[in-house]
Amino acid sequence: MKYAIGIDIGGTKIASGIVNEKGDLIQKEVVKSDPSDKERMFSQVITSVEALLNHSSIPANEIYGIGAGIPGKVDRENGIAVFQNNLPWSNFRFVNRIQEALQIDRVVIDNDVYMAAFAEWKEAGLGEKELFVYITISTGIACAIIQGGQFIRGAGFAGEIGLVPVYAGDRGKHLERLEWTASGPAVQARAREEYGDDSLTAKELFSAFYSGDAKVKQLIDEMASSLTHGVYMIHSLLDPHKIVFGGSVATHNPYLLNVVREKLASYLIEEQKHILDEMDISRLGNEQGVIGAGLRALEL
């Protein structure tokens, strides 16, 4: 059995785990990020991996490689973290630094959404000709597209559906970027404005929704409408065989998918309706980033 380390790097936390070739997560460690400085941030990545190895029953010499999912733009061929909104790395030579620090030669990096999508694609078990889309709804909104195990990347920025314009029902039918209408922070900001409470969190908002708050129900319905427009665009362009939704907003609130499915049905013509039975919430929880990164390393 081969083992690899998968690392999922974010602005608030870094998760690392040991993954086997079946996609099983053997062990996991989580540490806080430190985005105050590029070297402090990198040091936390190393701290996470060293803690993992110190607590693992798998010896370091049996680790085949390392995969890391990094937010924003990455240069996979040269191993560089090019740019992120929430991290202090700019053209940071991540792969070289990891190789030097941990004495492991096989290291691969990719965008964090792509790493998560790879794990979800493996879990879905699709055939070589089937097209798969993974959509993450969290702090931001993005997607990754896989066909036959290969990502469809375009010129390098494919899948940024958070940037597409959708109708924002609460703003007089004006067009807004999907990320500004349906991400966790967007809904939270809208709720704070509506209630005049700057301390209201997205978690509290959804709790109020499930308790039957009529005002919150309207906000969530508008959010679902925007998401539906984004999903419909993706479906019309790609006609995927399967769509999986991940990210904290989606996985913690699976009811959203039911609302999106109902709204989407009204747009679809008969030949498109197959997707209604092939849209699912992730079954990997919040582990898909670590699992996907580890599996990608095992392919090196």
Side-chain angles (χ1 to χ4, degrees):
M1 182 70 70
K2 287 167 61 176
Y3 301 93
I5 292 174
I7 311 173
D8 187 16
I9 301 170
T12 58
K13 65 182 176 66
I14 301 160
S16 63
I18 294 179
V19 179
N20 67 22
E21 55 196 309
K22 295 180 180 179
D24 300 319
L25 181 59
I26 307 301
Q27 192 160 343
K28 179 182 172 183
E29 292 286 338
V30 178
V31 303
K32 290 183 178 180
S33 298
D34 186 352
S36 63
D37 172 84
K38 66 180 182 179
E39 292 300 331
R40 292 192 185 98
M41 184 67 200
F42 182 71
S43 178
Q44 286 300 93
V45 174
I46 300 303
T47 296
S48 174
V49 175
E50 288 180 339
L52 178 71
L53 291 172
N54 286 339
H55 298 154
S56 173
S57 59
I58 308 297
N61 61 7
E62 290 188 21
I63 299 298
Y64 179 80
I66 293 177
I70 302 172
K73 186 176 182 180
V74 300
D75 179 344
R76 295 175 296 113
E77 286 75 18
N78 295 302
I80 298 172
V82 178
F83 170 80
Q84 316 85 37
N85 284 322
N86 57 347
L87 298 179
W89 294 329
S90 176
N91 293 317
F92 188 80
R93 302 193 72 83
F94 184 89
V95 167
N96 286 349
R97 295 291 303 276
I98 283 283
Q99 289 169 330
E100 292 168 2
L102 298 173
Q103 298 300 301
I104 294 178
D105 291 333
R106 297 184 183 92
V107 181
V108 61
I109 63 171
D110 207 333
N111 172 269
D112 56 344
V113 176
Y114 279 62
M115 288 299 200
F118 190 73
E120 297 289 358
W121 173 75
K122 285 280 193 179
E123 176 73 10
L126 298 185
E128 291 186 4
K129 294 183 179 180
E130 293 176 302
L131 192 143
F132 173 83
V133 172
Y134 171 71
I135 298 176
T136 179
I137 308 167
S138 186
T139 304
I141 298 177
C143 80
I145 308 150
I146 300 177
Q147 186 158 30
Q150 300 299 315
F151 286 101
I152 296 175
R153 298 179 182 271
F157 214 54
E160 293 297 333
I161 62 165
L163 303 180
V164 302
V166 298
Y167 281 113
D170 59 317
R171 295 175 176 84
K173 297 293 185 182
H174 293 164
L175 290 173
E176 294 276 17
R177 287 180 177 176
L178 179 59
E179 204 162 75
W180 295 350
T181 65
S183 66
V187 177
Q188 177 177 282
R190 184 72 181 90
R192 288 179 175 183
E193 178 186 324
E194 187 73 26
Y195 282 86
D197 181 357
D198 288 340
S199 66
L200 188 65
T201 66
K203 183 177 180 180
E204 292 169 335
L205 175 68
F206 278 100
S207 293
F209 170 78
Y210 292 121
S211 297
D213 187 306
K215 192 183 292 187
V216 172
K217 186 177 185 301
Q218 179 65 27
L219 289 177
I220 299 302
D221 189 74
E222 290 167 353
M223 171 196 184
S225 292
S226 293
L227 281 173
T228 302
H229 293 160
V231 173
Y232 183 51
M233 281 187 241
I234 288 290
H235 182 52
S236 295
L237 286 169
L238 299 174
D239 194 22
H241 294 86
K242 190 172 190 66
I243 301 176
V244 171
F245 296 83
S248 58
V249 173
T251 56
H252 292 157
N253 303 283
Y255 172 79
L256 264 179
L257 179 55
N258 294 333
V259 180
V260 169
R261 188 182 281 115
E262 289 173 6
K263 291 178 179 292
L264 185 62
S266 66
Y267 292 109
L268 301 176
I269 63 173
E270 198 61 37
E271 287 301 315
Q272 294 178 304
K273 289 185 177 179
H274 63 89
I275 200 61
L276 295 175
D277 295 324
E278 295 296 339
M279 297 196 304
D280 293 310
I281 297 293
S282 169
R283 291 182 292 182
L284 299 178
N286 291 318
E287 316 291 0
Q288 66 268 73
V290 172
I291 295 171
L295 287 172
R296 290 288 301 282
L298 289 167
E299 292 192 340
L300 286 174

